[in-house]
Every structure is written in structure tokens, then in C-alpha cells.
Amino acid sequence: MSSPKPNRRRRLLQVRTPVSPMQALISSIGIWVVFFGGWIFATSMGWVNPILVPSPAQVFRSIYLLFANDGFASDVLISVGRVLFAFALACLVAVPTGVAMGAFPAIDAVLAPFVSAWRYLPAPSFIPILLMWFGTGEEPKIALLFLGVIFFLITLIADHTKEVRKELIETAMTLGAGRSITVFQVMLPAVLPNILVAMRQMLAVVWTYLVIAEIVASTTGIGAMMMRARRFLHTDQIMGGIIVIGALGLIFDRLFAVLHRRLFPYLQDSR
Amino acid sequence: MATPLMQIDRVSKRFELSGGRTLTAVSDVSFSVEKGSICALLGPSGSGKSTILRMIAGLETLSSGAIRLKGQDIDGPGQDRGMVFQAYTSFDWLSVRKNVEFGMRINGLSARERRERAEHFIDLVGLSNFIDTYPSRLSGGMRQRVAIARTLANAPEVLLMDEPFGALDAETRWQMQELMIEVAGASGTTMVIVTHDIEEAIFLADKIEFLSSHPGRLREEITPDFKPAERIRNKEQLLELGGFAETERKIMRLMREEGRH
């Protein structure tokens, strides 16, 4: 039996061995090059029906035309506004509720069975009734986005609050803290970074419900534009809409990452 | 002799387990703690030493008996009994200074007083150079220093420590033990420390309560009276003292007997 040589040849697939920065860069760019390369190749060779699969160049040109000529910017702003309004509303309810559930088992005992049951009801199944209740204005859309994330957000925040270490709470109590100081000055700041992470995950989900809301019943917003485009076989505009939504999601995700770094400087380069 | 600062009077603790069974963790334990003294609770695991400390802190209820501080029955946790845990308890979102000021702030001390006391105790534990640093950037031993300063600055009648140096490496550990002797001398604080480290108990304590296991009972009270009245400040000196080896042997024998149960 031979012992392993000190400079064994590196294999491509190595269990839990980090890749070099160069390999990471090449890999991350490479996958997109392959994706767009395949797309361009397929469309230029005429392998696909250009009405169903337009070329990337055409998709990006139609994004430009949508913004330049068709007032698409106002659709985008309306969609962003819906997402942010509904999400802010959900956070306003979920943060106090989740923290209260995590801090007080008596509250958790009441709300947990209720909240976790609602999580299993798909929000889009409420669309018909939301339309009957609220008509076709902004209300049913905001309601759908709200319903889509609120129960997950509450559960995530409650779970994170329950994970605040017992010793931190007991330390506060032996320093003389009562209930409100323990909750507001120890548990809340301890869980805040995780609340922000939960928000970041759930904001992505809000975008999903936005498209559903705007496709089902809307004359404004990115989803409505995509449904209009479908009627005139403008696949390039539909794909443009998808790309714009993806880009917006990415921007908001990065904003959350920056916010996390700004708000919690003590979490950076810790030992 | 005057009445002791704290009396633990026939204290028992039973935990209700699932299936209607009960576990007696502490059974009929009595001892007293004199003002300004250091008392160690020593014993094998399962001797209920941490449970006793948690009952003193008010973090566990008593099943029977009483704990009196200055003649008053204790009722729940309070700032008169500060506690340092084995796990890190630094409030990571606050600087070292704000950590140490926390207790004083919630107890309504003026900003000037907080500042002065915080600086005094941070200096005492040797962290003056890190006063505006976040605890997450400190080593394990330094974080325990923050916890000790934070508790002392809150002016407790008694400082409770639950294996406070258990997670530290050997070198940091004896540095911290020497620091505690220094802190006790400078502040005159009464301390109760839970440990399973025999040497630590002998070095720090004026009185050692040795507990037997399953259930936790007081087996023997050991006074390491071979030590001089003035507490020795460095650990080598302790090892040189005649009487140290004998005390350590005696406690080791007790430990071994308990282990046979």
C-alpha cells in the first residue's frame, strides 16, 4: 500500500475543496457564455421558430424600445411600488408578531397552530375570492402579495427569535432586566440580523406573486405588459419582461446585502 | 461571628421528567457564604452544583428550603446576584464599553457615573485598549473579561460564576484565575464559583463545598487553611505551599469515591 504523495494531482471534482478565485470567475462567466452562446447559435441557425424564440439581440432591443417608446418605465415603477408596499405591510405585521411568538411561549401556543396551517394554503387559490371582495383595483394585488409571504415571514422570524441563546436572556435578567428590556434590548437586537436575512429571502417570493397578480387581473405593471405582448405574439417583449424582473430582483437582493453590512458592522471579520 | 451574607438553607431541587418520574438534582443542601469571601462549589458531574448556582441566581425555582441574601428570601433574578456563564454572553451589537454599561443603564445610573464605573472595571480586567471594540473581535478569554467587568460594574452583592473558564485554553485559564484573585482584592466582591477543576477551587476559594452526585448532596466542607490570610496572587506560589498537595489528594480521593457510584 502506498502512502499518499504530498503533491497529488488535483482532480476537478474534489470533495469540499474550495476553488481558486480565477476558477470561480471563469466558471461563473462561462456558464452564461454557454447559455447565451447556445441561444444565439440556435436562433441564427434557424433551428427554432423566431416567433417563439427570438434572438437575444432582439430581446434586448425590444427592452430598449419598451422603455423608449411604450412608457414601460411607468409599468416597472407600478410593479416595484406594489412589491414594496405589500412587502412593507407584511413586515410591519410579521416582525412584531414573530418576535412576540419567539419571546413568549404563551403567544406562540395560540398563533403557531394558526399560522403554520395557513402556510400550506397556496396564496393564488385566494385570487377568485380576492377579486370578489376587492374588485380589480390595487387592493386584490396587494392582498395577494401580502398573503403570499406573511405566514412564512412570521414563522421564520419566530423561529429565529426562539434561537436567541438562553444565556443572553439569563444574563440580561441577572443584570436586572425586566420583560420589556429583555425583549427590546436583548432579544430584538440579537435577532435583527436574522430578521433581515428572512426579509431578503421573502422579498424574492413577493416578486413571484407580483407576476401572478399582474397576469391574472391587471392592465398595468410588468406582468400586464407581458400578457398584452402575448396577444400580439411579441415573444421578445415577454422575454424582455422576464429579464427586467430578474434584474430588479437582483438589484433588491444586492441592496439588502449592503443594508446588512451597514446595519450590522459587528458581524464583519469577526474571529 | 456576624450573620453571613448569604445562607443556603436545606435547599432541594426536583425536576419533573416525562412519564411522571422525578429527578432529584439537589437534596437538602445547606451552607453559608461570608461577605467578601470566595466560595467554590466543587463536585463531579451530576452533583447539582450548577443547579444550586442557578437557584441562587433566581433562574431556577426551589423545590424546598430557602436561600437568603442579607436575611431576605430571594425571589427571581435580580441585579444583586450577577452571573457569569461558561458560554459567551457578550451582547455582540454593543461595544465593550456599552456592554459593561448595560446593567447600569437599565438600572438608571447617570451617564457620568456609568462612564466612570465602566472605565474603572474595564481597566481592572485589562481591556482598556479594547474599550470601543466589538466583542466579536475579541478572543474567548477577553470576552469572559468583558462579562466579568459587566457583572462587577453592576455592583452585585455576590458574583456567581458557572464554570466561567471551562471553555478556555489552559494558559488563558490560569491567567483568568489570577485575574479573579486581583479583582476580588480590588473590589471586595463576594463570589461563588462552580467548577470541576480541583486546582482552580483550591487556588480561588476560601471555602470549598464538595458535593456528591445523584442526588447532589453536600458531602464535605473543605477550608484550605494552609493558605495565608492574604490571598496569594500567582499560581506557582500556591503549588509551592506545603499543604496544597495534601488538600488536592484529599479532594481527588473524594472525587474518585463519587465516581464509583
Side-chain angles (χ1 to χ4, degrees):
Chain A
M1 227 174 81
S2 66
S3 59
K5 294 183 196 93
N7 263 328
R8 231 166 55 171
R9 195 173 64 89
R10 247 192 88 117
R11 285 178 296 190
L12 184 60
L13 298 181
Q14 204 71 306
V15 174
R16 287 280 168 91
T17 308
V19 298
S20 68
M22 187 50 108
Q23 190 186 344
L25 187 71
I26 292 171
S27 303
S28 63
I29 294 174
I31 184 72
W32 288 105
V33 169
V34 170
F35 175 77
F36 279 106
W39 186 0
I40 292 167
F41 192 69
T43 48
S44 61
M45 294 296 285
W47 289 352
V48 287
N49 182 342
I51 294 176
L52 295 181
V53 186
S55 69
Q58 202 184 336
V59 169
F60 283 103
R61 196 177 64 227
S62 76
I63 292 177
Y64 169 77
L65 289 176
L66 275 169
F67 277 109
N69 300 339
D70 300 345
F72 187 48
S74 79
D75 278 317
V76 171
L77 279 180
I78 287 170
S79 291
V80 170
R82 284 172 183 154
V83 164
L84 292 185
F85 183 74
F87 187 65
L89 218 56
C91 291
L92 223 55
V93 176
V95 173
T97 311
V99 171
M101 285 169 72
F104 301 105
I107 296 178
D108 193 54
V110 174
L111 292 181
F114 184 75
V115 170
S116 44
W118 281 91
R119 273 192 308 162
Y120 291 99
L121 301 176
S125 64
F126 289 89
I127 291 176
I129 208 161
L130 291 176
L131 289 175
M132 287 170 69
W133 285 348
F134 298 115
T136 51
E138 288 302 301
E139 294 90 344
K141 299 176 188 67
I142 300 299
L144 177 72
L145 306 196
F146 180 84
L147 280 178
V149 291
I150 185 72
F151 299 110
F152 288 96
L153 204 50
I154 289 175
T155 313
L156 279 173
I157 292 172
D159 285 347
H160 285 310
T161 310
K162 284 174 201 166
E163 281 162 17
V164 172
R165 284 177 27 244
K166 194 176 95 181
E167 289 90 353
L168 286 189
I169 298 164
E170 292 183 341
T171 296
M173 296 195 314
T174 55
L175 287 170
R179 276 184 310 183
S180 73
I181 286 173
T182 305
V183 173
F184 288 108
Q185 298 195 31
V186 177
M187 298 184 80
L188 189 61
V191 77
L192 220 48
N194 286 330
I195 289 181
L196 203 72
V197 171
M199 286 172 149
R200 185 174 166 187
Q201 291 162 346
M202 282 298 119
L203 185 61
V205 177
V206 179
W207 278 100
T208 309
Y209 287 111
L210 173 86
V211 176
I212 295 173
E214 289 182 346
I215 281 177
V216 170
S218 185
T219 51
T220 52
I222 303 173
M225 178 284 286
M226 288 158 73
M227 281 312 271
R228 269 199 308 277
R230 174 180 156 269
R231 230 178 296 155
F232 304 104
L233 301 179
H234 282 310
T235 6
D236 49 344
Q237 292 185 351
I238 298 177
M239 289 187 176
I242 294 172
I243 288 173
V244 168
I245 290 171
L248 287 170
L250 204 64
I251 290 170
F252 279 106
D253 193 69
R254 293 324 301 160
L255 285 178
F256 259 106
V258 171
L259 193 64
H260 201 278
R261 266 203 303 278
R262 283 282 160 81
L263 286 179
F264 313 116
Y266 55 89
L267 293 176
Q268 261 71 57
D269 44 67
S270 56
R271 288 208 186 180
Chain B
M1 199 156 55
T3 42
L5 177 75
M6 188 163 67
Q7 287 169 298
I8 285 77
D9 187 8
R10 308 202 64 176
V11 165
S12 297
K13 176 68 183 179
R14 287 178 294 277
F15 289 104
E16 305 291 328
L17 302 179
S18 58
R21 292 172 302 139
T22 58
L23 172 82
T24 306
V26 177
S27 173
D28 202 25
V29 168
S30 300
F31 63 93
S32 58
V33 180
E34 314 297 328
K35 189 171 170 52
S37 71
I38 303 179
C39 172
L41 302 182
L42 183 67
S45 48
S47 60
K49 51 194 191 299
S50 284
T51 309
I52 295 173
L53 198 75
R54 290 176 58 80
M55 287 192 284
I56 296 174
L59 297 170
E60 299 279 0
T61 56
L62 283 61
S63 298
S64 63
I67 296 175
R68 283 184 287 275
L69 183 68
K70 289 173 139 180
Q72 296 278 320
D73 275 22
I74 59 130
D75 178 26
Q79 70 167 118
D80 51 357
R81 285 150 291 135
M83 179 120 160
V84 173
F85 297 80
Q86 177 175 4
Y88 301 139
T89 54
S90 37
F91 300 144
D92 287 343
W93 55 95
L94 300 174
S95 66
V96 168
R97 179 199 296 277
K98 298 277 181 201
N99 260 279
V100 175
E101 285 189 7
F102 186 89
M104 297 185 277
R105 184 165 55 76
I106 65 175
N107 290 309
L109 263 70
S110 73
R112 204 178 59 102
E113 213 170 343
R114 285 191 327 240
R115 196 184 172 79
E116 281 171 5
R117 286 184 67 83
E119 281 170 6
H120 169 75
F121 283 102
I122 290 168
D123 185 48
L124 184 62
V125 299
L127 287 181
S128 291
N129 289 334
F130 300 92
I131 193 160
D132 292 313
T133 308
Y134 285 119
S136 54
R137 281 165 210 186
L138 302 178
S139 67
M142 286 156 98
R143 284 199 203 193
Q144 282 310 67
R145 286 168 196 252
V146 175
I148 290 163
R150 181 176 59 189
T151 315
L152 287 172
N154 205 29
E157 291 287 348
V158 50
L159 172 63
L160 309 170
M161 295 188 281
D162 192 359
E163 305 207 14
F165 315 130
L168 305 178
D169 58 75
E171 186 196 351
T172 314
R173 198 176 176 139
W174 60 252
Q175 283 173 353
M176 294 298 289
Q177 291 162 355
E178 292 182 351
L179 174 74
M180 289 323 292
I181 294 284
E182 205 181 308
V183 166
S187 65
T189 308
T190 312
M191 301 181 186
V192 180
I193 179 168
V194 161
T195 180
H196 57 235
D197 178 339
I198 298 173
E199 213 175 270
E200 180 169 279
I202 300 174
F203 180 52
L204 290 178
D206 305 314
K207 198 167 70 176
I208 300 168
E209 310 291 343
F210 188 89
L211 296 145
S212 64
S213 57
H214 305 298
R217 278 207 180 86
L218 189 61
R219 165 95 190 243
E220 196 162 340
E221 195 170 83
I222 299 151
T223 313
D225 45 16
F226 65 90
K227 295 199 290 185
E230 173 100 359
R231 289 192 187 110
I232 41 174
R233 280 158 184 270
N234 83 39
K235 223 170 161 188
E236 297 96 294
Q237 273 177 27
L238 174 82
L239 305 180
E240 285 159 10
L241 285 177
F244 167 75
E246 193 191 322
T247 309
E248 189 176 31
R249 250 195 322 269
K250 178 180 166 185
I251 298 175
M252 281 178 82
R253 269 200 290 270
L254 286 171
M255 278 276 193
R256 200 185 290 280
E257 278 175 38
E258 286 305 323
R260 285 207 197 98
H261 282 228

